[in-house]
Amino acid sequence: QVQLVESGGGLVQPGGSLRLSCAASGNIFSIDDMAWYHQAPGKQRELVAVITSGGSTNYADFVKGRFTISRDNAKNTAYLQMNSLKPEDTAVYYCNAVITIRNLGGRYAYWGQGTQVTVSS
């Protein structure tokens, strides 16, 4: 069994910063892409940023220059540093990871439970 656990969300004023963490645990052989998505009320979940196992990154246009995704492969953890936050960044942020299970093979996509980020004065 594999779990993804996000942390680091909260309430922040416009222009502030937050750092989200996503820790994967369980019977993991390897982790390929790790990504962050967000979902605002009444809207579809959308990709915010993705990082490959080799460290290549890609960002949605609406966060370029403000957010940075990173990962620590030794800790099976991904991070999302969010700077210059705007009210429109308010959403539930979800971690996604493509994981190969030890002794089972196959690659499966897992989701975390989400962490709320609220940007408001």
Short mmCIF file of all heavy atoms in Angstrom, two decimals, residues 65-106:
data_model
loop_
_atom_site.label_atom_id
_atom_site.label_comp_id
_atom_site.label_asym_id
_atom_site.label_seq_id
_atom_site.Cartn_x
_atom_site.Cartn_y
_atom_site.Cartn_z
N GLY A 65 7.31 31.78 -12.54
CA GLY A 65 7.99 32.90 -11.90
C GLY A 65 7.61 33.11 -10.46
O GLY A 65 8.24 33.91 -9.76
N ARG A 66 6.57 32.39 -9.99
CA ARG A 66 6.13 32.56 -8.59
C ARG A 66 6.28 31.26 -7.78
O ARG A 66 6.59 31.31 -6.59
CB ARG A 66 4.66 33.01 -8.55
CG ARG A 66 4.39 34.32 -9.24
CD ARG A 66 2.96 34.80 -8.96
NE ARG A 66 1.95 33.89 -9.48
CZ ARG A 66 1.00 33.33 -8.73
NH1 ARG A 66 0.92 33.60 -7.43
NH2 ARG A 66 0.10 32.51 -9.26
N PHE A 67 6.03 30.13 -8.42
CA PHE A 67 6.07 28.84 -7.73
C PHE A 67 7.30 28.05 -8.19
O PHE A 67 7.70 28.15 -9.36
CB PHE A 67 4.82 28.01 -8.03
CG PHE A 67 3.54 28.55 -7.44
CD1 PHE A 67 3.47 29.79 -6.84
CD2 PHE A 67 2.40 27.76 -7.47
CE1 PHE A 67 2.28 30.26 -6.30
CE2 PHE A 67 1.21 28.21 -6.94
CZ PHE A 67 1.14 29.46 -6.36
N THR A 68 7.83 27.24 -7.29
CA THR A 68 8.95 26.36 -7.63
C THR A 68 8.67 24.96 -7.08
O THR A 68 8.40 24.81 -5.87
CB THR A 68 10.26 26.87 -7.03
OG1 THR A 68 10.52 28.20 -7.52
CG2 THR A 68 11.42 25.96 -7.42
N ILE A 69 8.72 23.97 -7.96
CA ILE A 69 8.57 22.58 -7.54
C ILE A 69 9.95 21.95 -7.40
O ILE A 69 10.85 22.24 -8.20
CB ILE A 69 7.68 21.79 -8.53
CG1 ILE A 69 7.35 20.41 -7.97
CG2 ILE A 69 8.33 21.70 -9.91
CD1 ILE A 69 6.30 19.65 -8.79
N SER A 70 10.11 21.12 -6.39
CA SER A 70 11.37 20.41 -6.18
C SER A 70 11.06 19.06 -5.54
O SER A 70 9.91 18.80 -5.16
CB SER A 70 12.32 21.22 -5.30
OG SER A 70 11.74 21.45 -4.02
N ARG A 71 12.07 18.22 -5.43
CA ARG A 71 11.87 16.92 -4.80
C ARG A 71 13.16 16.44 -4.16
O ARG A 71 14.26 16.82 -4.60
CB ARG A 71 11.34 15.90 -5.81
CG ARG A 71 12.27 15.57 -6.93
CD ARG A 71 11.57 14.76 -8.03
NE ARG A 71 11.37 13.38 -7.66
CZ ARG A 71 10.65 12.50 -8.38
NH1 ARG A 71 10.06 12.91 -9.50
NH2 ARG A 71 10.52 11.25 -7.98
N ASP A 72 12.99 15.59 -3.17
CA ASP A 72 14.11 14.92 -2.52
C ASP A 72 13.86 13.43 -2.72
O ASP A 72 13.01 12.84 -2.05
CB ASP A 72 14.14 15.29 -1.03
CG ASP A 72 15.32 14.69 -0.30
OD1 ASP A 72 15.84 13.64 -0.76
OD2 ASP A 72 15.73 15.25 0.72
N ASN A 73 14.57 12.83 -3.67
CA ASN A 73 14.32 11.43 -4.01
C ASN A 73 14.66 10.49 -2.85
O ASN A 73 14.02 9.45 -2.70
CB ASN A 73 15.12 11.04 -5.26
CG ASN A 73 14.58 11.71 -6.50
OD1 ASN A 73 13.40 12.03 -6.60
ND2 ASN A 73 15.45 11.94 -7.47
N ALA A 74 15.62 10.85 -2.04
CA ALA A 74 15.98 10.00 -0.90
C ALA A 74 14.86 9.94 0.13
O ALA A 74 14.72 8.96 0.87
CB ALA A 74 17.26 10.51 -0.24
N LYS A 75 14.04 10.99 0.18
CA LYS A 75 12.94 11.07 1.15
C LYS A 75 11.59 10.80 0.50
O LYS A 75 10.56 10.87 1.18
CB LYS A 75 12.92 12.44 1.82
CG LYS A 75 14.14 12.73 2.66
CD LYS A 75 14.02 14.11 3.32
CE LYS A 75 15.22 14.40 4.21
NZ LYS A 75 15.12 15.74 4.85
N ASN A 76 11.58 10.52 -0.81
CA ASN A 76 10.31 10.31 -1.53
C ASN A 76 9.34 11.48 -1.29
O ASN A 76 8.14 11.27 -1.07
CB ASN A 76 9.65 8.99 -1.12
CG ASN A 76 10.39 7.78 -1.63
OD1 ASN A 76 11.14 7.85 -2.61
ND2 ASN A 76 10.23 6.66 -0.97
N THR A 77 9.88 12.67 -1.36
CA THR A 77 9.09 13.86 -1.02
C THR A 77 9.22 14.92 -2.10
O THR A 77 10.31 15.14 -2.62
CB THR A 77 9.55 14.43 0.33
OG1 THR A 77 9.35 13.46 1.36
CG2 THR A 77 8.76 15.69 0.69
N ALA A 78 8.10 15.54 -2.42
CA ALA A 78 8.07 16.67 -3.33
C ALA A 78 7.64 17.91 -2.56
O ALA A 78 6.93 17.82 -1.55
CB ALA A 78 7.11 16.42 -4.48
N TYR A 79 8.07 19.05 -3.07
CA TYR A 79 7.76 20.32 -2.43
C TYR A 79 7.20 21.31 -3.46
O TYR A 79 7.50 21.20 -4.65
CB TYR A 79 9.02 20.93 -1.80
CG TYR A 79 9.73 20.01 -0.85
CD1 TYR A 79 10.79 19.22 -1.28
CD2 TYR A 79 9.34 19.92 0.49
CE1 TYR A 79 11.45 18.37 -0.41
CE2 TYR A 79 9.99 19.06 1.36
CZ TYR A 79 11.04 18.29 0.90
OH TYR A 79 11.68 17.44 1.77
N LEU A 80 6.43 22.25 -2.98
CA LEU A 80 5.97 23.34 -3.83
C LEU A 80 6.15 24.63 -3.05
O LEU A 80 5.43 24.88 -2.07
CB LEU A 80 4.51 23.18 -4.25
CG LEU A 80 4.00 24.21 -5.25
CD1 LEU A 80 4.69 24.02 -6.60
CD2 LEU A 80 2.49 24.12 -5.42
N GLN A 81 7.15 25.41 -3.44
CA GLN A 81 7.38 26.72 -2.83
C GLN A 81 6.53 27.73 -3.59
O GLN A 81 6.69 27.90 -4.79
CB GLN A 81 8.85 27.10 -2.91
CG GLN A 81 9.17 28.48 -2.34
CD GLN A 81 8.95 28.56 -0.85
OE1 GLN A 81 9.31 27.66 -0.11
NE2 GLN A 81 8.33 29.66 -0.40
N MET A 82 5.63 28.37 -2.87
CA MET A 82 4.69 29.31 -3.48
C MET A 82 4.98 30.71 -2.95
O MET A 82 4.83 30.96 -1.75
CB MET A 82 3.25 28.91 -3.17
CG MET A 82 2.92 27.48 -3.57
SD MET A 82 1.17 27.07 -3.37
CE MET A 82 1.04 27.16 -1.60
N ASN A 83 5.40 31.60 -3.83
CA ASN A 83 5.70 32.98 -3.47
C ASN A 83 4.74 33.93 -4.19
O ASN A 83 4.07 33.54 -5.15
CB ASN A 83 7.14 33.33 -3.85
CG ASN A 83 8.16 32.49 -3.13
OD1 ASN A 83 7.95 32.07 -1.98
ND2 ASN A 83 9.29 32.24 -3.77
N SER A 84 4.69 35.15 -3.72
CA SER A 84 3.83 36.18 -4.34
C SER A 84 2.41 35.66 -4.55
O SER A 84 1.83 35.80 -5.63
CB SER A 84 4.44 36.63 -5.68
OG SER A 84 5.73 37.14 -5.50
N LEU A 85 1.86 35.07 -3.51
CA LEU A 85 0.55 34.45 -3.63
C LEU A 85 -0.54 35.48 -3.88
O LEU A 85 -0.49 36.62 -3.38
CB LEU A 85 0.24 33.64 -2.36
CG LEU A 85 0.95 32.28 -2.30
CD1 LEU A 85 1.02 31.75 -0.89
CD2 LEU A 85 0.24 31.29 -3.22
N LYS A 86 -1.52 35.06 -4.67
CA LYS A 86 -2.65 35.90 -5.05
C LYS A 86 -3.95 35.27 -4.56
O LYS A 86 -4.01 34.05 -4.39
CB LYS A 86 -2.71 36.04 -6.57
CG LYS A 86 -1.44 36.54 -7.23
CD LYS A 86 -1.56 36.50 -8.74
CE LYS A 86 -0.29 36.97 -9.42
NZ LYS A 86 -0.41 36.91 -10.91
N PRO A 87 -4.99 36.06 -4.38
CA PRO A 87 -6.27 35.47 -3.97
C PRO A 87 -6.74 34.37 -4.91
O PRO A 87 -7.37 33.39 -4.46
CB PRO A 87 -7.22 36.67 -3.99
CG PRO A 87 -6.34 37.83 -3.68
CD PRO A 87 -5.03 37.53 -4.37
N GLU A 88 -6.43 34.50 -6.19
CA GLU A 88 -6.87 33.48 -7.15
C GLU A 88 -6.09 32.18 -7.02
O GLU A 88 -6.43 31.19 -7.68
CB GLU A 88 -6.78 34.01 -8.59
CG GLU A 88 -5.44 34.62 -8.95
CD GLU A 88 -5.46 36.13 -8.82
OE1 GLU A 88 -5.99 36.65 -7.80
OE2 GLU A 88 -4.90 36.80 -9.72
N ASP A 89 -5.06 32.13 -6.19
CA ASP A 89 -4.36 30.88 -5.90
C ASP A 89 -5.10 30.05 -4.85
O ASP A 89 -4.73 28.90 -4.58
CB ASP A 89 -2.95 31.16 -5.38
CG ASP A 89 -2.05 31.79 -6.42
OD1 ASP A 89 -2.11 31.38 -7.60
OD2 ASP A 89 -1.28 32.71 -6.05
N THR A 90 -6.14 30.62 -4.25
CA THR A 90 -6.91 29.90 -3.25
C THR A 90 -7.54 28.65 -3.85
O THR A 90 -8.25 28.72 -4.86
CB THR A 90 -8.02 30.81 -2.68
OG1 THR A 90 -7.41 31.91 -1.99
CG2 THR A 90 -8.91 30.04 -1.73
N ALA A 91 -7.25 27.51 -3.23
CA ALA A 91 -7.72 26.22 -3.75
C ALA A 91 -7.26 25.12 -2.80
O ALA A 91 -6.45 25.37 -1.90
CB ALA A 91 -7.15 25.96 -5.14
N VAL A 92 -7.76 23.92 -3.04
CA VAL A 92 -7.19 22.73 -2.42
C VAL A 92 -6.07 22.25 -3.34
O VAL A 92 -6.28 22.10 -4.54
CB VAL A 92 -8.23 21.63 -2.21
CG1 VAL A 92 -7.57 20.39 -1.60
CG2 VAL A 92 -9.36 22.13 -1.31
N TYR A 93 -4.90 22.02 -2.77
CA TYR A 93 -3.74 21.57 -3.53
C TYR A 93 -3.52 20.08 -3.29
O TYR A 93 -3.45 19.63 -2.14
CB TYR A 93 -2.51 22.38 -3.13
CG TYR A 93 -2.52 23.75 -3.75
CD1 TYR A 93 -3.41 24.74 -3.31
CD2 TYR A 93 -1.69 24.07 -4.82
CE1 TYR A 93 -3.45 25.99 -3.89
CE2 TYR A 93 -1.72 25.32 -5.41
CZ TYR A 93 -2.61 26.27 -4.94
OH TYR A 93 -2.67 27.52 -5.54
N TYR A 94 -3.42 19.34 -4.40
CA TYR A 94 -3.27 17.90 -4.34
C TYR A 94 -1.93 17.49 -4.93
O TYR A 94 -1.49 18.02 -5.96
CB TYR A 94 -4.36 17.22 -5.16
CG TYR A 94 -5.76 17.42 -4.64
CD1 TYR A 94 -6.54 18.47 -5.10
CD2 TYR A 94 -6.31 16.54 -3.70
CE1 TYR A 94 -7.84 18.66 -4.63
CE2 TYR A 94 -7.60 16.72 -3.23
CZ TYR A 94 -8.35 17.78 -3.70
OH TYR A 94 -9.63 17.95 -3.24
N CYS A 95 -1.32 16.51 -4.30
CA CYS A 95 -0.10 15.90 -4.81
C CYS A 95 -0.45 14.66 -5.62
O CYS A 95 -1.39 13.92 -5.24
CB CYS A 95 0.80 15.52 -3.64
SG CYS A 95 2.33 14.71 -4.09
N ASN A 96 0.27 14.45 -6.70
CA ASN A 96 0.10 13.26 -7.54
C ASN A 96 1.46 12.67 -7.81
O ASN A 96 2.43 13.41 -8.06
CB ASN A 96 -0.59 13.66 -8.84
CG ASN A 96 -0.67 12.52 -9.83
OD1 ASN A 96 0.26 12.32 -10.61
ND2 ASN A 96 -1.76 11.79 -9.82
N ALA A 97 1.55 11.35 -7.78
CA ALA A 97 2.83 10.70 -8.07
C ALA A 97 2.60 9.40 -8.83
O ALA A 97 1.63 8.68 -8.54
CB ALA A 97 3.58 10.43 -6.77
N VAL A 98 3.48 9.12 -9.76
CA VAL A 98 3.44 7.86 -10.51
C VAL A 98 4.46 6.93 -9.87
O VAL A 98 5.67 7.22 -9.90
CB VAL A 98 3.73 8.09 -11.99
CG1 VAL A 98 3.73 6.76 -12.74
CG2 VAL A 98 2.70 9.04 -12.59
N ILE A 99 3.98 5.82 -9.32
CA ILE A 99 4.81 4.98 -8.46
C ILE A 99 4.81 3.55 -8.94
O ILE A 99 3.75 3.01 -9.30
CB ILE A 99 4.29 5.06 -7.01
CG1 ILE A 99 4.43 6.50 -6.49
CG2 ILE A 99 5.03 4.08 -6.10
CD1 ILE A 99 3.82 6.72 -5.13
N THR A 100 5.99 2.95 -8.93
CA THR A 100 6.13 1.51 -9.17
C THR A 100 6.19 0.82 -7.81
O THR A 100 7.01 1.18 -6.96
CB THR A 100 7.39 1.21 -9.98
OG1 THR A 100 7.31 1.87 -11.25
CG2 THR A 100 7.55 -0.29 -10.19
N ILE A 101 5.33 -0.18 -7.64
CA ILE A 101 5.23 -0.88 -6.36
C ILE A 101 6.27 -1.99 -6.30
O ILE A 101 6.43 -2.76 -7.24
CB ILE A 101 3.83 -1.47 -6.16
CG1 ILE A 101 2.77 -0.38 -6.32
CG2 ILE A 101 3.71 -2.16 -4.81
CD1 ILE A 101 2.93 0.76 -5.36
N ARG A 102 6.94 -2.07 -5.18
CA ARG A 102 7.96 -3.10 -4.98
C ARG A 102 7.33 -4.49 -5.04
O ARG A 102 6.26 -4.72 -4.47
CB ARG A 102 8.63 -2.89 -3.62
CG ARG A 102 9.87 -3.74 -3.40
CD ARG A 102 10.46 -3.45 -2.03
NE ARG A 102 10.81 -2.06 -1.86
CZ ARG A 102 11.94 -1.51 -2.29
NH1 ARG A 102 12.83 -2.26 -2.92
NH2 ARG A 102 12.18 -0.23 -2.08
N ASN A 103 8.00 -5.40 -5.75
CA ASN A 103 7.59 -6.81 -5.86
C ASN A 103 6.29 -7.00 -6.61
O ASN A 103 5.75 -8.11 -6.66
CB ASN A 103 7.45 -7.46 -4.48
CG ASN A 103 8.77 -7.49 -3.74
OD1 ASN A 103 9.83 -7.65 -4.35
ND2 ASN A 103 8.72 -7.34 -2.43
N LEU A 104 5.74 -5.96 -7.19
CA LEU A 104 4.48 -6.08 -7.92
C LEU A 104 4.66 -5.64 -9.37
O LEU A 104 4.06 -6.21 -10.27
CB LEU A 104 3.40 -5.24 -7.25
CG LEU A 104 2.00 -5.30 -7.86
CD1 LEU A 104 1.46 -6.72 -7.80
CD2 LEU A 104 1.06 -4.36 -7.13
N GLY A 105 5.50 -4.61 -9.58
CA GLY A 105 5.67 -4.06 -10.91
C GLY A 105 4.48 -3.19 -11.28
O GLY A 105 3.55 -3.01 -10.52
N GLY A 106 4.52 -2.65 -12.48
CA GLY A 106 3.45 -1.76 -12.91
C GLY A 106 3.62 -0.39 -12.31
O GLY A 106 4.23 -0.24 -11.26
#
